[in-house]
Amino acid sequence: MNPDEELTELLAQRLPQHPAPLALKRKLAAQWGLERDDGRAPFWRRRTIAIPALAAAVVVLVALPIVYDRAVMAPARATDVLVAEAVNDHVRATQAPLGVESGGMHDVKPWFTGKLDFAPAVAFMGDAEFPLRGGAVGYYVDRPAAVLVFGRRRHTISLLVFRSEGLPWPASAPAAMGRTRATVRSARGFNVVLWRAGELGYALVSDVDRGELLTLGAKLARSDASP
C-alpha cells in the first residue's frame, strides 16, 4: 500500500461518516455507468435478471406441450403400450419352448400352481377349431402372467392372463365378445384383443384374422370367471 492509499484509509477511519445525498449518488452512478438517467439499471445488470426469467419462460414453454400431450394423448398412448407389450410377449412365446405341453386344460392349469401369485381363471380347454397346445409363465408389463398357447391351423395364438390392477386400461371397449366388451387393436401385423374380468386382465394375440380371434375370445370370455 502506497502513502496515498494509507492516508486515504486513515482518514476514512478517523473522520466521521455521513451518507451522501441521493442526487450525488445518482450523479456518481451515472458517471460510472452503474445506473441509467431514467433510474433503470444498466443493460448488463438487467441482463443478469432477465436471463433467469428467460430460462424460466423457456422451461414453461417446453413443459406446456408435454403437459398438454400427457393430458390429451395419455389414454391412447397408454392403450398402445398395452398392445405393444402383448405383441412382444406373443413373439417371445412363439420363440421359446413351452413350460408344459398338452392337449387339455386339465394338464396345463395345474402346472401353474405355485408359479404365480394368482390362479388363471380360464376354463376353456380348447376344441377342434382352437386346440390348446400348452402353457408357460411370462411377464406382462411389470407383472407375472400365465401364457396359454392355442393353435389355429398353422397359426399360434397367445392368451396372457395377469392381474389388471394398476394398468392404464382403455376408457372404452367397443367390441362385443359375447357378453363381454373388449378393445381390439392391431400392431406390427398382429391383432390384439384386451378385456377384463374381475381382478384379472386378458390379452389375446395372434396374426389370425380379427374375426377368428374374437371367436376364440368369446369362448374364453364365457369361461374366464369359472374357477
Side-chain angles (χ1 to χ4, degrees):
M1 184 179 296
N2 58 47
D4 291 337
E5 292 175 338
E6 291 179 353
L7 178 60
T8 301
E9 185 169 346
L10 179 61
L11 292 174
Q13 294 175 356
R14 297 290 181 89
L15 294 176
Q17 301 293 320
H18 300 283
L22 180 59
L24 178 60
K25 289 181 179 180
R26 288 183 174 178
K27 183 177 180 180
L28 292 175
Q31 291 177 350
W32 285 93
L34 299 177
E35 184 173 315
R36 292 166 55 99
D37 293 338
D38 56 6
R40 292 184 297 166
F43 170 76
W44 66 271
R45 291 187 60 188
R46 286 184 284 119
R47 184 175 57 182
T48 61
I49 299 174
I51 289 176
L54 179 60
V58 170
V59 170
V60 171
L61 291 176
V62 171
L64 279 176
I66 297 174
V67 172
Y68 175 81
D69 179 71
R70 288 180 177 175
V72 176
M73 299 298 294
R77 291 193 173 182
T79 302
D80 290 343
V81 169
L82 296 182
V83 170
E85 181 66 18
V87 170
N88 291 338
D89 293 342
H90 169 71
V91 172
R92 283 193 290 267
T94 60
Q95 295 177 348
L98 295 171
V100 57
E101 296 185 12
S102 175
M105 182 66 72
H106 293 300
D107 292 328
V108 175
K109 194 171 183 178
W111 180 82
F112 288 104
T113 302
K115 297 178 175 66
L116 299 168
D117 59 352
F118 65 92
V122 178
F124 178 67
M125 292 184 270
D127 55 19
E129 286 187 300
F130 302 99
L132 177 65
R133 295 177 179 173
V137 173
Y139 271 84
Y140 183 73
V141 184
D142 59 353
R143 60 204 61 197
V147 183
L148 301 173
V149 178
F150 294 86
R152 176 62 174 164
R153 296 185 292 272
R154 295 186 178 182
H155 300 274
T156 299
I157 303 174
S158 296
L159 172 67
L160 308 169
V161 187
F162 45 88
R163 291 189 179 275
S164 62
E165 182 182 5
L167 292 176
W169 285 93
S172 62
M177 202 167 58
R179 296 183 178 180
T180 302
R181 308 295 299 185
T183 298
V184 183
R185 293 288 184 87
S186 297
R188 292 163 51 190
F190 297 95
N191 290 312
V192 179
V193 180
L194 298 169
W195 76 95
R196 285 184 291 178
E199 297 180 350
L200 297 181
Y202 299 81
L204 197 59
V205 192
S206 182
D207 58 352
V208 301
D209 180 79
R210 179 178 297 196
E212 292 182 309
L213 201 59
L214 286 171
T215 298
L216 174 57
K219 296 182 178 185
L220 292 163
R222 284 198 299 267
S223 63
D224 56 21
S226 302

